[in-house]
Each structure stands twice: as structure tokens, then as C-alpha cells.
Amino acid sequence: MTKRYVLVHDENKCIGCQACNVACRSENNVPESVTRIQVRVEGPYGNFPNLHFKYNRVSCEQCEDAPCVKVCPTGAAYVNDDGIVSINEKKCVGCLYCVAACPYKVRFINPETRVPDKCDFCKESRLARGEDPACVSVCPTQALAFGDANDSTSEVSQLLDTKNHYQHKVNLGTKPRVYRIPSRKGGIKV
Amino acid sequence: MNNIWGSMEQYDPVVWNWIIAVYLFMAGLSAGSMMVAIGLKWYRQSRGLPTEGLPVIKAAAIVGPISICVGMALLMLDLTKPFEFYHILLNYNFTSVMAWGVLALLFYIPLVFVFSGLIFEKQLLSLAPWLSGVAKICRKLENSLNKLIFVLAIGVGIYTGFLLSALISYPILNTAVLPALFLASALSVGSAGNVLVATLFFSKKESDCIEQVHRIEYPVAFNEALCLVLLFVGLNFSGPAAQAATAAITTGTWASVFWIGVVGLGLVVPVLASTISPKSWRHTKGFLITVSCSTILGVLALRHFVVYAGQSYIS
Ligand code: SF4
Ligand code: SF4
């Protein structure tokens, strides 16, 4: 695996507008009742007048040690050479083991295919054409950065080298590949 | 009010529901009843006592296959793609506990039927005389088959626990005590199921052979209680999220299910019944039926408690 795709979400720049959520829905034909990304607006935190909100991106973290892949009995949840956690619809029986096992609760059953669905960094469409994922392209404040963390000249490497950042639930050992730059105001509350 | 980010429905932490709880119960019942019956057989053989026609063993030959088949049917119906379940029989990912479970069941289920076939050989052969050749071969292999079934039954009982304990983000589930707890409760529900069916259908005398099954009740109940204590004491030492999960036994509906169902019906009633009840009651049909039903309900409550309360607390 030569590439190591990661996503960086800058919670200072994010305004919680859901443009990413909508772009993802149209790019990936996500049915109306379900969703692959949400940016939850949490808070307010702090004391008046220093109030602020936290923008919490919820989407597949593309774990390097993905519990969803480990538990899948048929190998329908798998990782390719590209390192992106994917789903083979043909092999899946719909046992929901992966849905239960995902610590980030981002897998859901697609009501049309009856198979688990989730973010795959738009790997078959935009990534295959060399473009950024839809959410990254559409973000009006450039709060999202996507790229190869193994390439030290990439934007994501530079961000991760120079900015304070954190990941969700690292204690579970899943090694998530979504990195977050915490809001300057207030501490980290995960 | 709607969230601007959309519906939260798909984020419900409870993914597996009562169907899985009942499946886990059925699998435990089947595995437990096999272990108890085969164990009893060995115990009597080692003492030179006859094992033919024992009501409890006959009961196991009914309980074992029926409960595992009902369980499997439920499990299949719960798949989002029930008609494609065969993929699970063709592809094995050996990092998955479920794959190991499927493999164990693949051998366990037919062997349980062989076990029953041998117990009811006469009846079977009168219905299907063409099976006599197969029956002869199986009879020759009976001892080895029983050993194999016993091992597979332990496997089935334990795997149902590991199935849940592999879910790393749920503190109540993600513990090594769970498989032990499930195995112990499988033994208790297995013996209760056998006693119930034996009392209802096979025993001629009121005290027919229930004595030996009683003998395993105390150690099993003790182990079960110990596992429960370990589970919740352990949570207390495993960080804030796990500690928060101990609320499962102090607040909410699942706390009542725990204290009334799991502890009350599953542990207290059976133990009290066999310690303080008058001797004259102990082998009456009504008594045996009540106590075994209580144990069965207790284990059913345990599976529901673990499945629901387990998934409700996420770290
Ligand atoms: S976030 Fe969930 S779905 Fe995504 S790779 Fe990790 S465990 Fe799998
Ligand atoms: S639901 Fe499908 S992808 Fe998920 S664990 Fe089951 S078989 Fe694998």
C-alpha cells in the first residue's frame, strides 16, 4: 500500500452548512432516508460571551484496523490495495455484524440495495478520475482537505505536520484516518 | 425540531434486536441440552449404570435439534438478504467470530440429528427402514460422535458469547467474561429444558433420573452469578465509558429485566427452590415444571438484557 488517503477536517473553518452532506448525497445517489456524512453542530460550549459551537463530522473514518472488516463473516467488508474500506455487495448477506461493530456508528443499510453503505471517499467516481471527494470539493470554507499522507508534500501532510490535531476514539485501536483540527476556542471534548 | 444535519434514525446504537437475543437463547439451549445429556451418559457409563431410555436424554434428543433449527430460522430471517444466506456457507473470513460459529454449526446441526436418530432409533427405523444401514454405522461410531458433539456444543455455547464480545465499542459486551457467562447459562438452560421436556413427556415415575441433572445446578448457578459479578465489577475499573455502562443494572427498563428476570427467575428461584423447599415437593411434576420454566425465563431475560443493555452503552 503506497498511498495512505486521509481526510482532515478543520473545525475552525467549518460552519456546519451541510454542503458536504448534500454533495455526497447527489454524487453517490444516497437514498433520502439515510446519509453517509453529517456535520453535527454541538454546543454551545463556553461561558457567555465566549460561546462557541463544535462541528463534528460523522462519516466513515476509514480505519486502518477496521473492526467492520474483521468481523464480516464472508469478507464482504474488505480493504483493497488502495486502503479504502469497501463493501462487496455480492458477498454480503446482511447480517449487520459490521454495522454493530463499527465504533463510529457510520454504517447503515441502504434501503435500496439491502447492503451496508458508508463513505468510500468517492473512490469509484471522483477519486478514479483523480478528483477530490465531493464533500472536499464543495466545501465553501475549505474546511476539508483530502490526500495522501505518505506524500510529504501533500496538503494533508503539511496540515498534519503543522497543526494540532486529534482523532476519534483512538483508545479502541482502530487507527482512524479522519483527522480533526480542534477549535481554537476551548479544549477537546470527544 | 429537525436537525439541520438530518435524521438520526440510522445512528441507533441498538443494531441487533430481540431476534438475535432469541437466537442466542436457542443456540445456548441446544448446546446446553446436548452437553447435559452427553455428560449424563458418560457419568452413568463410568459407574456402570444403564443409559438406555433415560427421560432426560430422550428429552435432549428433542430439545437439541428443535431449538437449534428454530434459532437458525430466526437468524436467517433477520438477514437483510435472507435468500443469499448461502454466501455465509461459502466464504469464510477467519478473523470473524461469526465465520467460526457458522463452521461449528455446519457440523453441529447434522450431528445433533444423528444423536436424536440414535436415541429414537426404533421409531425412526419403523418410519424409514431404508436408514438402517446408516444407523448401524452411526451406532458403531456413537462414542466418538458423542465426543465430537460435546466439543462442538461447547464451541456453539462459547461462540455466541464471543460473537458479542467482538463488538469493541460496547463496554458491557467487549469483555472476556461474556463467553464464560453464556456457556454457564447455556448449561443451566439446557438442563432446565431437558428436565421440562422429560417431565412433560417422558418420565413415568415422578423422580425419574432428574437427580443427576440437579447435581450440576449449583455449580452452574454459582458460575453464572460469579460471571455477572465479574462483568460489572470489571466495568468499574475499565475507564469512564465502561463505568457509565454499569448504569445498565441500576436504572431503566433493563435494570428491572436484570434484577427480576436474570437474577430473580434465573438464579434466586431455582437455588431457593432446591434448598429451602420441603423435600416432599421436590420431585413432584408441578415443582419441576415451575422451577425449570423459571430458569428458562431467566436465561431468556439474560440474553435480552445482554443484547439490549449491552448495545445501549457505547464508549
Ligand atoms: S469507521 Fe466504521 S465503517 Fe468506517 S472503517 Fe471504521 S469501522 Fe469500518
Ligand atoms: S452485513 Fe454484509 S458486509 Fe456487514 S458483516 Fe454482514 S456480511 Fe459482512
Side-chain angles (χ1 to χ4, degrees):
Chain A
M1 207 189 300
T2 48
K3 283 204 189 302
R4 187 167 176 278
Y5 288 120
V6 303
L7 186 84
V8 181
H9 180 221
D10 188 335
E11 293 172 359
N12 294 293
K13 292 185 179 169
C14 183
I15 53 172
C17 69
Q18 309 299 322
C20 49
N21 183 337
V22 175
C24 170
R25 186 175 292 286
S26 85
E27 174 68 41
N28 298 302
N29 295 319
V30 181
E32 182 122 29
S33 56
V34 285
T35 170
R36 286 188 182 188
I37 344 174
Q38 293 186 337
V39 176
R40 303 206 184 127
V41 183
E42 294 165 0
Y45 295 108
N47 294 304
F48 183 81
N50 297 314
L51 296 175
H52 67 283
F53 287 95
K54 180 177 159 51
Y55 301 104
N56 177 16
R57 178 185 163 110
V58 179
S59 69
C60 175
E61 308 253 342
Q62 302 294 349
C63 309
E64 244 154 279
D65 264 329
C68 59
V69 171
K70 253 184 235 161
V71 302
C72 175
T74 64
Y78 70 100
V79 191
N80 251 358
D81 299 340
D82 58 11
I84 297 176
V85 176
S86 312
I87 297 155
N88 179 341
E89 294 189 4
K90 287 208 196 79
K91 276 189 177 176
C92 175
V93 294
C95 64
L96 302 186
Y97 203 8
C98 57
V99 180
C102 169
Y104 306 95
K105 296 285 122 210
V106 295
R107 293 177 85 96
F108 56 90
I109 296 294
N110 184 315
E112 280 156 19
T113 59
R114 313 294 297 145
V115 165
D117 199 340
K118 64 172 193 65
C119 160
D120 61 358
F121 286 158
C122 300
K123 73 166 195 175
E124 255 142 46
S125 50
R126 302 185 55 94
L127 211 54
R129 297 195 295 267
E131 294 163 8
D132 275 342
C135 54
V136 177
S137 301
V138 83
C139 177
T141 59
Q142 272 142 38
L144 293 169
F146 174 80
D148 179 8
N150 283 346
D151 170 2
S152 57
T153 61
S154 69
E155 187 192 354
V156 285
S157 297
Q158 311 223 312
L159 275 174
L160 295 179
D161 278 350
T162 55
K163 300 239 175 174
N164 189 10
H165 56 77
Y166 71 103
Q167 296 147 288
H168 275 178
K169 302 190 183 185
V170 272
N171 59 316
L172 297 177
T174 56
K175 302 195 196 134
R177 278 184 283 205
V178 171
Y179 292 82
R180 298 148 198 274
I181 298 176
S183 165
R184 276 183 295 272
K185 298 177 196 142
I188 297 165
K189 190 167 178 284
V190 185
Chain B
M1 204 179 74
N2 290 329
N3 301 310
I4 101 159
W5 54 89
S7 156
M8 293 287 285
E9 208 176 317
Q10 83 191 45
Y11 297 93
D12 186 350
V14 181
V15 175
W16 278 342
N17 57 15
W18 64 269
I19 298 186
I20 298 297
V22 177
Y23 160 68
L24 296 173
F25 168 80
M26 290 290 173
L29 175 58
S30 176
S33 86
M34 281 297 128
M35 283 188 269
V36 169
I38 295 173
L40 180 61
K41 240 186 179 170
W42 289 341
Y43 174 85
R44 294 188 57 105
Q45 272 165 1
S46 71
R47 254 144 249 252
L49 299 165
T51 61
E52 282 306 303
L54 292 180
V56 174
I57 293 180
K58 276 192 189 162
I62 302 281
V63 174
I66 292 184
S67 54
I68 197 66
C69 288
V70 172
M72 291 317 283
L74 284 171
L75 193 61
M76 237 184 79
L77 287 177
D78 195 47
L79 299 178
T80 65
K81 303 200 311 188
F83 298 113
E84 288 175 38
F85 79 94
Y86 61 87
H87 285 293
I88 213 167
L89 302 173
L90 302 176
N91 301 305
Y92 290 91
N93 165 25
F94 286 114
T95 61
S96 167
V97 182
M98 195 184 285
W100 287 100
V102 170
L103 202 60
L105 288 166
L106 200 61
F107 294 99
Y108 174 79
I109 296 173
L111 286 178
V112 174
F113 276 92
V114 171
F115 177 91
S116 302
L118 289 178
I119 300 290
F120 294 109
E121 197 179 356
K122 261 197 217 114
Q123 290 88 329
L124 182 72
L125 290 185
S126 68
L127 283 175
W130 46 274
L131 277 176
S132 66
V134 185
K136 248 190 219 126
I137 298 172
C138 293
R139 183 64 77 194
K140 274 221 183 85
L141 296 173
E142 196 181 1
N143 282 332
S144 333
L145 283 180
N146 281 347
K147 280 181 200 148
L148 194 56
I149 297 174
F150 194 82
V151 172
L152 286 169
I154 296 179
V156 169
I158 285 194
Y159 119 84
T160 54
F162 277 117
L163 188 72
L164 296 177
S165 67
L167 302 174
I168 57 170
S169 59
Y170 299 112
I172 296 182
L173 301 180
N174 185 26
T175 107
V177 182
L178 203 63
L181 174 64
F182 271 31
L183 188 64
S185 70
L187 276 171
S188 68
V189 73
S191 62
N194 288 350
V195 169
L196 181 65
V197 172
T199 321
L200 288 174
F201 304 110
F202 298 115
S203 74
K204 296 190 191 75
K205 280 192 279 107
E206 307 238 292
S207 63
D208 256 353
C209 184
I210 280 151
E211 202 52 46
Q212 286 92 344
V213 179
H214 269 328
R215 222 172 266 193
I216 73 159
E217 253 165 23
Y218 291 116
V220 166
F222 175 76
N223 273 315
E224 220 180 307
L226 184 65
C227 288
L228 284 171
V229 171
L230 288 178
L231 179 65
F232 282 94
V233 171
L235 286 178
N236 255 314
F237 300 121
S238 313
Q243 213 164 28
T246 55
I249 53 169
T250 55
T251 51
T253 331
W254 296 107
S256 342
V257 171
F258 180 80
W259 290 109
I260 299 171
V262 179
V263 177
L265 292 175
L267 294 170
V268 178
V269 171
V271 169
L272 285 188
S274 38
T275 44
I276 60 167
S277 65
K279 277 234 162 58
S280 57
W281 290 11
R282 292 198 192 162
H283 290 163
T284 60
K285 276 200 169 172
F287 181 85
L288 287 171
I289 292 172
T290 318
V291 176
S292 41
C293 285
S294 173
T295 307
I296 291 171
L297 287 176
V299 175
L300 192 58
L302 174 71
R303 297 296 195 265
H304 277 82
F305 172 80
V306 169
V307 165
Y308 281 93
Q311 290 179 93
S312 302
Y313 295 86
I314 182 163
S315 68

